[in-house]
Amino acid sequence: MWMIVPIFCLAIIHISGNNVAVIPDIVGSFEDDQSIVSIFGSMVFGVIIAAVIAWIGVMTGQDLVVATKKQCGVLGRKIVALTLLSVSIPASSLTGCYYAGGMLQFLFGLPYWLAALACLILFSLLAIAHSRELLTLSNYIGLLLLPLIILIFFLYDVHWYKVSLNWNHINWSLVLALTGYNVGGMWVALLMETTAYLSQKGSRAIVIVVLAKIVESIITLGVAYLVLSANAQGPLALTVVVSKISGVAVLFNIVLFCTLVNTMAPAMLLNARQMSSLTGLTFWPALFVVITLIYIISFIPFSLILSLMSYTGFLMILFIIYTAYFLHKYGINQ
């Protein structure tokens, strides 16, 4: 039982902007075979990288920032800060502005520039422990996302198209972008802390992480097929599917927005701390710099942000692999 609960908790926690917003929109933007095969490829890479991150957490018993600082000193801390921010900033622009801001724009008729800014301010206030009760309530509401997705599968006629898993159909730029989004930024910190906490369980902690990633990947592929069956187009293609089901749309939109809040509040805290570590600024100026960068990037076209993340995601993957290699070769500094 101690393994089952963490597996599903980790899977539910990481079902966020990547799984219910970015990937559904990609399905609607690319050819069927190319999108599904590329998503499948990114998930295979995601499972492998997740296992590597979990191994680092188990071996060090610490999160990535502390472990890297111990091994490489202050320079190592700055490198990990830069690497995390290179993925987390553009990912936050997609999740926090493009999608969360887009939802406010749709629901309340606000102009995008105002809706995106309002979301970033809300996430920042929640990140610095203002309205903790509101964030707690949002976390509980966000837990309804998985049951709602399962319910939608029963209510909607999903067509399970046969897709040829042909390497020639893979869009490698898309794979790198999704892998970076999937295993970079906030999730690395969460995963490292979880496996560090479970480090006394040894290899079983790694098994938990891998199984959680597999569960999450199965759910995400299901969501992709759901969007494919409905022939829905983004932005927020999944909400387009849900809008066709009477009695569910309003509740789903509320739960989805809370899920984005649950993702972005800790992400803003992580971004500000890493920016402070990188630049030497105190917390508040660092938070202001982060908000400004995220807000500016959110006006870049969706496809261009994904292209940017293909490069930063590749750097993130290299950094994680190098960290694991370094720890394996030179051991752990206690």
Side-chain angles (χ1 to χ4, degrees), residues 113-157:
W113 67 267
L114 180 58
L117 185 60
C119 284
L120 288 180
I121 292 173
L122 171 64
F123 300 146
S124 299
L125 290 175
L126 293 174
I128 56 178
H130 283 272
S131 303
R132 184 173 293 276
E133 295 81 8
L134 180 62
L135 184 57
T136 302
L137 176 62
S138 178
N139 283 324
Y140 282 118
I141 294 174
L143 292 175
L144 296 174
L145 182 66
L146 182 56
L148 273 177
I149 290 175
I150 294 173
L151 176 63
I152 291 167
F153 272 105
F154 284 102
L155 296 177
Y156 197 88
D157 184 20

Side-chain angles (χ1 to χ4, degrees), residues 85 88-89 92 117 119-130 264-296:
L85 287 171
S88 188
I89 293 292
S92 296
L117 185 60
C119 284
L120 288 180
I121 292 173
L122 171 64
F123 300 146
S124 299
L125 290 175
L126 293 174
I128 56 178
H130 283 272
M264 282 303 301
M268 292 301 290
L269 186 60
L270 173 80
N271 290 336
R273 285 177 174 171
Q274 297 310 312
M275 184 62 71
S276 177
S277 177
L278 180 64
T279 62
L281 295 171
T282 56
F283 180 81
W284 283 103
L287 181 61
F288 178 77
V289 171
V290 164
I291 291 173
T292 303
L293 287 174
I294 292 173
Y295 187 66
I296 292 173

Side-chain angles (χ1 to χ4, degrees), residues 79-190:
I79 292 173
V80 73
L82 180 61
T83 307
L84 287 173
L85 287 171
S86 70
V87 174
S88 188
I89 293 292
S92 296
S93 294
L94 286 179
T95 305
C97 293
Y98 188 80
Y99 289 116
M103 289 192 71
L104 284 190
Q105 181 185 23
F106 172 75
L107 293 173
F108 300 105
L110 298 174
Y112 174 77
W113 67 267
L114 180 58
L117 185 60
C119 284
L120 288 180
I121 292 173
L122 171 64
F123 300 146
S124 299
L125 290 175
L126 293 174
I128 56 178
H130 283 272
S131 303
R132 184 173 293 276
E133 295 81 8
L134 180 62
L135 184 57
T136 302
L137 176 62
S138 178
N139 283 324
Y140 282 118
I141 294 174
L143 292 175
L144 296 174
L145 182 66
L146 182 56
L148 273 177
I149 290 175
I150 294 173
L151 176 63
I152 291 167
F153 272 105
F154 284 102
L155 296 177
Y156 197 88
D157 184 20
V158 181
H159 301 289
W160 299 97
Y161 296 100
K162 183 179 179 181
V163 176
S164 174
L165 296 179
N166 191 327
W167 288 103
N168 294 328
H169 293 159
I170 289 185
N171 183 326
W172 287 106
S173 176
L174 182 58
V175 169
L176 289 173
L178 289 177
T179 305
Y181 195 121
N182 201 239
V183 303
M186 184 63 212
W187 195 70
V188 173
L190 170 66

